[in-house]
Amino acid sequence: MNYDSVYTFRLGTVVHHGFGSVSKLGPEATRLGAKKVLLVTDKGVADAGLLDTVVDSLETAGIPYVTLDDVEVDPGTATVDRGLKLLKDEKCNVVVVVGGGSPVCAAKGIALLANNGGSMTDYEGESKYKHPPLPVIAIPTTAGAGSEVSAAFIITDESRNYKFTMTGPDCYPEVAILDPLLLRNIPFWPAVNAGLDALTHAIEACCTNFSTPLTDSIALTAIGLIMESLAPMVLTGDLEAKNKQHLAATMANIACGNARLGLVHALCQPLANYHLAHGYANGILLPYVMEYNLPVCEEKFASMAVAMGEDRHRYTQGELARKAIWRVKDLYITIGFPRKLDEKQVSPKEIPEMVKRAMTRPMVKFNIRRSSAEDLTLLYEKAFQGWEL
Ligand SMILES: [Fe+2]
């Protein structure tokens, strides 16, 4: 932290967490003045029966609802328009979303258009709206992305095949409800990818030029919880591990929402073009970027190792810092996560193009270690070669 600078910490969301916390939905919707709720979700969530307790809570509170239950992955402007029409036709005034990152993005978009009119593309960028969106209550069914406590959201413009981001201080969901019972059906790979996305958020939050003791304290606790709970969550389905992971993923996003992100997310973005899942790509890149950042943030890495359970008094700071990387790699071995990029998914020949795209990402500048295009090239090359413990 640079003590000549001014930092801002923002959190716009009430967070309920724990077993059965979905029962808070009805009272919260009532508090927000809900006359009728637009319930946004996707087919997978609806078919898995995850809406039952959600609907129960609304019905107990006497709040009617109408459902948009077919939000696609990477939702487009047409889905937002369709949701908006349903909301207006049915006179809904609160949006409740149950699902992963895609339905949450659609819900935020619908809520923004409901109070501002126009089309989604009018609002690309930061604070381009006149009026705050309708209230959104987010109930995530994955533990990773953290969009339930994030102001940012991404919509796809189908006509240009272009994804664009909107954000602003009014775009946080009013309420997030983290009920581990809604994670009960999460399959292995979505749980792993979401979990490693959350771990990356927490580790990157410690390694930016915007991190402060306030963001570090949240990120370090999240790192400890994820390292403790991700393996039992995905390998045994342990519900208490899911409970911890759920909270940790939200904490990680609170931390990186303020401290921002670094090189892993910058390098990850071009890999989306080759259909690598966001959390998966982050997971692959994380150990390489940690090695790269180590020389400039040994103290932070040592704190991470202590948060992961290492004894501060047994090792030097340098030894502890290396332990943090060792522990992440050890987690990958435990859960069977790959060590390198798969050349069948993306060719090393694409590296120059990927570097060009990654260099345009603001996270390159946020990262604690300054980097050049040559550094990014080397990082991608290493990510194709693999690591050893
Ligand atoms: Fe992420």
Side-chain angles (χ1 to χ4, degrees):
M1 191 167 95
N2 175 358
Y3 285 89
D4 295 332
S5 299
V6 173
Y7 297 82
T8 301
F9 183 89
R10 190 187 296 277
L11 174 60
T13 307
V14 175
V15 179
H16 299 286
H17 58 94
F19 292 96
S21 51
V22 81
S23 64
K24 293 280 186 185
L25 172 59
E28 283 289 14
T30 303
R31 177 178 72 82
L32 294 169
K35 304 239 178 323
K36 189 167 188 177
V37 156
L38 175 68
L39 185 55
V40 178
T41 189
D42 62 35
K43 278 269 174 263
V45 168
D47 292 347
L50 296 180
L51 296 181
D52 297 354
T53 51
V54 172
V55 165
D56 279 353
S57 185
L58 287 174
E59 287 176 350
T60 303
I63 299 170
Y65 62 92
V66 60
T67 307
L68 176 75
D69 67 357
D70 58 354
V71 176
E72 70 276 25
V73 175
D74 299 332
T77 52
T79 299
V80 174
D81 290 341
R82 202 156 43 83
L84 180 68
K85 181 171 187 313
L86 186 60
L87 176 138
K88 296 226 151 161
D89 289 348
E90 297 285 336
K91 299 187 171 44
C92 302
N93 65 339
V94 169
V95 180
V96 173
V97 54
V98 185
S102 293
V104 176
C105 285
K108 289 177 182 173
I110 294 165
L112 184 67
L113 283 193
N115 277 359
N116 288 278
S119 72
M120 206 71 271
T121 48
D122 300 336
Y123 302 99
E124 179 176 359
E126 190 167 345
S127 301
K128 296 285 166 58
Y129 52 85
K130 272 211 177 91
H131 308 290
L134 281 179
V136 173
I137 301 177
I139 307 175
T141 56
T142 59
S147 48
E148 68 280 0
V149 287
S150 160
F153 60 104
I154 299 169
I155 298 294
T156 302
D157 179 355
E158 303 93 330
S159 64
R160 291 181 291 160
N161 192 23
Y162 168 71
K163 287 183 188 176
F164 57 103
T165 303
M166 284 133 296
T167 190
D170 307 287
C171 295
Y172 290 89
E174 288 278 345
V175 179
I177 299 176
L178 315 175
D179 191 334
L181 295 174
L182 294 186
L183 301 181
R184 63 183 183 272
N185 295 333
I186 188 168
F188 179 82
W189 279 109
V192 166
N193 293 344
L196 293 182
D197 189 25
L199 181 62
T200 306
H201 291 161
I203 290 176
E204 293 225 274
C206 294
C207 303
T208 72
N209 297 314
F210 298 90
S211 69
T212 69
L214 179 52
T215 56
D216 282 353
S217 64
I218 298 168
L220 288 169
T221 304
I223 290 168
L225 284 169
I226 294 167
M227 294 300 286
E228 176 191 337
S229 58
L230 184 58
M233 169 177 165
V234 300
L235 296 175
T236 71
D238 179 61
L239 267 179
E240 187 49 46
K242 288 181 178 178
N243 195 20
K244 286 181 182 168
Q245 181 68 21
H246 218 5
L247 182 60
T250 298
M251 292 170 70
N253 210 281
I254 292 169
C256 75
N258 288 281
R260 310 191 196 177
L261 291 161
L263 272 189
V264 180
H265 274 76
L267 291 166
C268 160
Q269 196 269 341
L271 290 169
N273 288 357
Y274 309 97
H275 308 291
L276 268 73
H278 175 79
Y280 180 88
N282 277 334
I284 301 266
L285 295 162
L286 179 63
Y288 302 99
V289 174
M290 288 180 82
E291 297 272 7
Y292 176 79
N293 280 335
L294 177 65
V296 299
C297 54
E298 195 179 88
E299 196 182 339
K300 290 284 183 84
F301 277 34
S303 298
M304 286 181 208
V306 173
M308 294 173 187
E310 295 291 346
D311 182 351
R312 184 185 292 280
H313 305 292
R314 214 171 137 199
Y315 302 103
T316 64
Q317 180 172 285
E319 287 168 341
L320 277 171
R322 291 222 61 83
K323 286 264 176 201
I325 304 175
W326 186 91
R327 286 246 185 181
V328 170
K329 292 177 176 176
D330 189 53
L331 171 69
Y332 287 15
I333 292 169
T334 304
I335 61 178
F337 190 77
R339 297 178 181 211
K340 58 179 185 170
L341 288 170
D342 183 346
E343 293 189 23
K344 284 189 222 106
Q345 290 177 299
V346 50
S347 164
K349 286 186 193 144
E350 302 292 323
I351 289 177
E353 181 59 29
M354 296 194 308
V355 169
K356 209 157 77 182
R357 283 171 179 263
M359 285 300 287
T360 66
R361 307 301 297 164
M363 290 83 95
V364 173
K365 292 202 179 76
F366 302 160
N367 193 72
I368 197 161
R369 183 172 174 186
R370 276 194 182 195
S371 56
S372 62
E374 290 72 33
D375 294 331
L376 269 56
T377 301
L378 207 60
L379 279 163
Y380 276 132
E381 285 172 356
K382 285 187 175 174
F384 277 105
Q385 288 158 11
W387 48 258
E388 296 300 325
L389 251 193

